[in-house]
């Protein structure tokens, strides 16, 4: 039975890994050497992007992971069976209408048993998902599981708690980049389970986690986010070490940072949206060259693109779910649709290379469509700047101030 479970888990792992490497233009993984071998591990990560966070972390290492996810996703019996087959376990919160300490006792025991077998457990100790890149107060669940595991009868002698940072260049964008950072493990050995030790471990892990993802000061967040990401390029990797160090240098310039946030807000009221960079002449030429491939990409892939777009547009209320649903539906939809297109190409040509090339061209045209749409949006905003001298002057002053602040940060 365990062999079948392993085969199913790693088959799904491989499919999702390939899909993610196509969905993102680059997935960089740093710190794999910090993952201990042949020892129980708890992965604790920041949580900015719903389900896709867990998929990225899981497919970036080869450990047999068990996951704690919010209990609400287990309401559907079909979804529950699917999630259980992939080692997902529900974790209950106060808003679920139950006493979380009592409801989670059985789940915590399952975590202790998994760790006793030297498996890995993954959870998101922030207790929420939010695309704002700032430091959060962590819940004590990760400390309760770590200390409970080393005190569990027949359990692990020690547990390594590994902080994981997931850093997106664009939380919702197709063919953007993501940088996953595994930090140095915190080794937890047997000690008394009491409030003092829970608080001590939680504080230690909070600090460790803040070092592996972009952790801006929440009291000056809007201004700091503007300074570092108002012109963020979707293909550029984010390095949390560099950003956090630079943000630290602005800790005594809060008033100036907040003024930048106000400038950005006024520009948004005039019609601009961020992140934004005016499109250059060379980029405009690329957009024109991409247009034929983009049109083909739209026509060929419309049977998948349209339903996904309409579902997200009409049914999804939280932006944090956009990338997860876009990836999940697209992975399934394109696999089915491109399989049919490949078969049609083979029926017409009787050659598998032709079928494979046809499917490859479908993907190339899809990427071209995405590149065209991104540049088209920038083109429209650049035209807005050109048509209004007042807005243009406001934007120029905004960029000059940000550049002046950035000058001595990096």
């Amino acid at each position: 039975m365990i062999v079948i479970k392993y085969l199913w888990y790693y088959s799904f792992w491989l499919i999702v890994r390939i899909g993610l490497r196509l969905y993102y233009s680059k997935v960089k993984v740093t710190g794999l050497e910090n993952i201990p071998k042949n020892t129980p591990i708890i992965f604790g990560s920041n949580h900015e992007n719903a389900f896709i966070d867990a998929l990225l972390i899981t497919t970036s290492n080869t450990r047999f992971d068990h996951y704690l996810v919010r209990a609400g996703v287990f309401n559907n019996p079909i979804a529950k069976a699917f999630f259980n087959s992939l080692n997902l376990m529900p974790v209950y919160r106060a808003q679920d209408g139950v006493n979380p300490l009592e409801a989670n006792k059985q789940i915590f025991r399952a975590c202790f048993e998994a760790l006793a077998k030297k498996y890995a457990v993954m959870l998101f100790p922030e207790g929420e998902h939010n695309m704002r890149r700032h430091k959060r107060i962590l819940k004590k669940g990760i400390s309760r599981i770590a200390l409970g595991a080393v005190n569990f009868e027949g359990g692990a002698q020690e547990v390594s708690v590994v902080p994981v940072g997931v850093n997106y260049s664009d939380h919702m964008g197709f063919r953007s980049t993501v940088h996953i950072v595994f930090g140095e493990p915190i080794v937890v050995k047997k000690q008394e389970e009491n409030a003092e030790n829970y608080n001590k471990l939680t504080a230690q892990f909070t600090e460790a986690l803040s070092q592996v993802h972009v952790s801006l000061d929440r009291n000056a967040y809007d201004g700091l986010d503007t300074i570092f990401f108002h012109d963020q390029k979707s293909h550029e990797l984010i390095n949390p070490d560099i950003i956090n160090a630079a943000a630290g240098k602005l800790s005594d310039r809060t008033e100036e940072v907040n003024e930048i946030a106000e400038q950005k807000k006024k520009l948004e009221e005039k019609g601009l949206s961020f992140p934004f960079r005016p499109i250059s002449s060379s980029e405009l030429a690329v957009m024109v060259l991409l247009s034929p491939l983009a049109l083909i990409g739209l026509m060929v892939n419309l049977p998948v693109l349209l339903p996904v777009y309409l579902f997200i547009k009409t049914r999804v209320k939280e932006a944090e779910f956009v990338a997860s649903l876009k990836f999940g539906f697209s992975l399934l939809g394109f696999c089915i649709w491109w399989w049919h297109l490949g078969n049609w190409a083979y029926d017409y040509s009787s050659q598998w290379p032709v079928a494979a090339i046809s499917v490859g061209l479908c993907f190339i045209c899809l990427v071209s469509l995405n590149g065209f749409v991104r540049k088209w949006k920038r083109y429209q905003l650049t035209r807005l700047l050109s048509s209004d001298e007042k807005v243009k002057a406001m934007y120029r002053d905004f960029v000059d101030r940000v550049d002046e602040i950035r000058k001595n940060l990096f």
Side-chain angles (χ1 to χ4, degrees):
M1 185 66 180
I2 189 66
V3 174
I4 295 174
K5 191 173 182 66
Y6 269 89
L7 285 173
W8 161 238
Y9 177 90
Y10 284 109
S11 296
F12 186 80
W13 180 95
L14 181 60
I15 292 170
V16 172
R17 179 181 170 88
I18 294 171
L20 286 170
R21 268 54 181 182
L22 294 174
Y23 185 85
Y24 290 99
S25 64
K26 185 171 185 179
V27 177
K28 181 179 180 180
V29 183
T30 302
L32 283 174
E33 68 279 3
N34 291 324
I35 302 176
K37 296 178 173 61
N38 301 316
T39 189
I41 294 175
I42 299 175
F43 290 119
S45 172
N46 64 312
H47 201 15
E48 297 180 3
N49 222 359
F51 302 118
I52 210 163
D53 290 337
L55 296 177
L56 282 163
I57 297 168
T58 298
T59 56
S60 296
N61 74 93
T62 56
R63 295 298 297 259
F64 189 63
D65 288 337
H66 291 66
Y67 320 83
L68 289 179
V69 297
R70 62 189 183 120
V73 303
F74 285 80
N75 292 336
N76 184 292
I78 297 176
K80 181 179 179 179
F82 176 71
F83 291 146
N84 285 337
S85 73
L86 293 169
N87 302 331
L88 273 69
M89 298 179 287
V91 61
Y92 297 90
R93 303 168 298 172
Q95 53 263 50
D96 294 319
V98 298
N99 182 332
L101 289 178
E102 289 297 321
N104 287 326
K105 280 183 177 180
Q106 184 178 353
I107 300 303
F108 280 15
R109 182 182 177 87
C111 291
F112 304 156
E113 292 173 348
L115 291 168
K117 296 175 183 177
K118 298 185 178 180
Y119 293 149
V121 171
M122 183 195 303
L123 66 153
F124 299 98
E126 294 172 345
E128 62 174 353
H129 54 221
N130 193 303
M131 291 192 296
R132 291 168 69 88
R133 303 177 175 103
H134 60 63
K135 188 175 181 178
R136 293 177 176 81
I137 299 173
L138 303 187
K139 308 296 182 182
K140 295 179 184 178
I142 192 165
S143 299
R144 293 183 184 278
I145 292 174
L147 293 179
V150 294
N151 286 289
F152 180 64
E153 185 176 351
Q157 296 298 308
E158 63 180 43
V159 172
S160 295
V161 184
V162 178
V164 189
V166 187
N167 301 278
Y168 297 92
S169 64
D170 180 347
H171 287 88
M172 296 185 288
F174 173 58
R175 300 300 291 170
S176 56
T177 62
V178 60
H179 185 187
I180 302 165
V181 182
F182 291 92
E184 294 186 9
I186 298 170
V187 179
V188 179
K189 297 186 177 181
K190 191 169 184 177
Q191 56 192 282
E192 187 177 348
E193 295 180 76
N194 56 36
E196 182 182 355
N197 286 335
Y198 287 145
N199 292 336
K200 181 180 177 181
L201 181 55
T202 301
Q204 187 179 2
F205 186 75
T206 298
E207 181 59 29
L209 183 59
S210 70
Q211 295 175 12
V212 294
H213 73 93
V214 175
S215 305
L216 303 179
D217 180 0
R218 65 192 309 158
N219 295 319
Y221 176 79
D222 290 334
L224 291 171
D225 182 71
T226 299
I227 290 169
F228 296 115
F229 302 112
H230 78 92
D231 57 352
Q232 176 65 33
K233 299 176 183 178
S234 63
H235 63 272
E236 286 186 347
L237 285 163
I238 290 178
N239 189 324
D241 288 340
I242 294 175
I243 299 297
N244 290 340
K249 296 177 183 178
L250 297 173
S251 59
D252 59 348
R253 299 168 66 179
T254 303
E255 184 177 346
E256 186 179 4
V257 168
N258 288 334
E259 287 175 0
I260 294 295
E262 285 299 314
Q263 280 190 285
K264 177 190 172 187
K265 184 178 178 181
K266 290 177 181 178
L267 285 167
E268 288 175 330
E269 290 172 352
K270 296 295 183 180
L272 288 185
S273 62
F274 293 88
F276 165 67
R277 305 181 320 280
I279 194 167
S280 65
S281 299
S282 60
E283 290 172 319
L284 189 59
V286 171
M287 185 186 79
V288 174
L289 292 173
L290 283 176
S291 58
L293 286 176
L295 180 59
I296 296 171
L298 177 63
M299 295 173 62
V300 170
N301 296 297
L302 192 62
V304 178
L305 293 174
L306 184 59
V308 172
Y309 170 79
L310 292 176
F311 180 84
I312 291 173
K313 189 76 174 177
T314 59
R315 302 292 296 277
V316 180
K317 306 301 180 184
E318 296 180 63
E320 291 81 5
F321 280 103
V322 169
S324 298
L325 293 172
K326 193 189 295 184
F327 170 74
F329 289 150
S330 297
L331 180 63
L332 178 62
F334 283 123
C335 282
I336 295 172
W337 178 236
W338 289 348
W339 175 262
H340 283 299
L341 291 179
N343 281 328
W344 290 337
Y346 176 75
D347 290 340
Y348 180 78
S349 66
S350 300
Q351 296 184 46
W352 282 115
V354 173
I357 291 171
S358 299
V359 172
L361 287 174
C362 288
F363 178 72
I364 290 171
C365 290
L366 181 64
V367 172
S368 299
L369 173 62
N370 178 68
F372 176 85
V373 170
R374 283 184 181 275
K375 288 179 172 57
W376 177 255
K377 290 178 180 178
R378 289 175 56 202
Y379 168 69
Q380 290 181 306
L381 292 176
T382 303
R383 283 190 63 190
L384 172 65
L385 278 182
S386 301
S387 63
D388 192 322
E389 289 299 323
K390 185 177 179 180
V391 176
K392 188 175 182 179
M394 289 173 61
Y395 178 76
R396 190 66 262 164
D397 180 60
F398 163 77
V399 171
D400 288 343
R401 287 195 67 183
V402 171
D403 288 345
E404 184 62 30
I405 291 173
R406 281 179 169 182
K407 189 184 300 180
N408 298 317
L409 293 180
F410 300 105

